[in-house]
Amino acid sequence: QVQVVESGGGSVQAGGSLKLSCAASGFTFSRYCMGWFRQAPGKEPEEVASIHPDAGTRYADSVKGRLTISRDNAENTLYLQMNSLQPEDTAMYYCARARWPGGRSCPVNRGDFGAWGQGTQVAVSS
């Protein structure tokens, strides 16, 4: 069945780095938009970044220049390189697959992503 499993979270000090991974299985990874989302306590989930099958990317304004999304289609793995982390980046991070393959661009609505993982916690201290 469709499955995505996140890993790589942890606790770092402000200015530090982490690299999250998302291992995908049960579907043709290379055909789907993939996204990273995060949810901080008491806040709504927000999209952090997404990547199209053609490797085109989209980022939230708050993370541009600090976080980089990438994918390895041969390994069915999605990545999020996180640099210059700040306390406001503290959240549970989830990866998700778009509900449908292809498309000219990745979905803009969170509801159009499905197959969510269990998440990996990122904590940034000041």
Side-chain angles (χ1 to χ4, degrees), residues 16-99:
S17 297
L18 285 172
K19 186 172 185 177
L20 307 185
S21 298
C22 171
S25 60
F27 63 99
T28 306
F29 180 77
S30 61
R31 297 185 62 202
Y32 287 83
C33 280
M34 298 294 297
W36 283 102
F37 297 78
R38 67 186 181 187
Q39 186 171 20
K43 294 188 176 181
E44 289 291 313
E46 62 171 343
E47 180 182 318
V48 174
S50 61
I51 185 166
H52 193 268
D54 68 5
T57 57
R58 180 177 70 214
Y59 294 94
D61 288 343
S62 59
V63 306
K64 284 180 181 177
R66 300 187 300 115
L67 275 57
T68 303
I69 189 172
S70 62
R71 64 193 300 160
D72 184 335
N73 290 335
E75 296 293 331
N76 292 342
T77 304
L78 179 73
Y79 299 102
L80 186 68
Q81 177 67 48
M82 310 171 71
N83 298 327
S84 302
L85 283 163
Q86 300 300 316
E88 53 265 35
D89 295 314
T90 295
M92 186 71 80
Y93 283 72
Y94 301 90
C95 76
R97 189 204 77 177
R99 292 191 182 276

